[in-house]
Amino acid sequence: ASNIEEYIASGVDSTFEVSTGDNAWNITDNGDGTVAGVSFTNFANLQGGSGDDDFTLVTRGQIIGTIDGGTGAETNGDTLTISAASQTVNITDASNIEEY
C-alpha cells in the first residue's frame, strides 16, 4: 500500500484504520483528512492502533461515527484536539482516548 495516496469510502459503515506506529490524524471535513502521509475521504469511523494517536478536528472537521484511539503499548496516550474557535463536539464514548 506504499504507492496509495488516497483512500475513498462509501460513508455510513466505513472504517479507516492505521494499526501501527504513532500517528497524527488531521480531520479536515466530513469524514475527510490525512494520516501517515495519505488522504482519506468519506469515512464514518476512524480507528487508531497500538501507538499514540493524535486526532485533530480542524475548522470543518467532523466524523459521523466513532474515533477510536485503539489499544496497546502507548507511550503518551491518545489525544483529541479541537483547533477551531467554534466547534460542536458530541462525545458519547471516550474510553480509548486518554486526553481531550
Side-chain angles (χ1 to χ4, degrees), residues 1-87:
S2 63
N3 293 325
I4 296 174
E5 295 177 5
E6 182 176 21
Y7 293 87
I8 301 172
S10 60
V12 181
D13 294 323
S14 58
T15 299
F16 190 69
E17 178 178 0
V18 178
S19 59
T20 60
D22 297 340
N23 293 291
W25 299 74
N26 291 301
I27 302 136
T28 57
D29 207 338
N30 189 8
D32 303 349
T34 60
V35 64
V38 298
S39 297
F40 56 89
T41 301
N42 203 28
F43 279 88
N45 308 293
L46 302 179
Q47 173 73 50
S50 60
D52 295 330
D53 291 289
D54 299 318
F55 297 91
T56 301
L57 293 168
V58 298
T59 303
R60 295 175 41 120
Q62 59 182 313
I63 293 294
I64 63 169
T66 61
I67 296 174
D68 188 334
T71 59
E74 298 153 337
T75 304
N76 297 313
D78 302 316
T79 61
L80 174 62
T81 303
I82 292 91
S83 67
S86 61
Q87 183 96 336

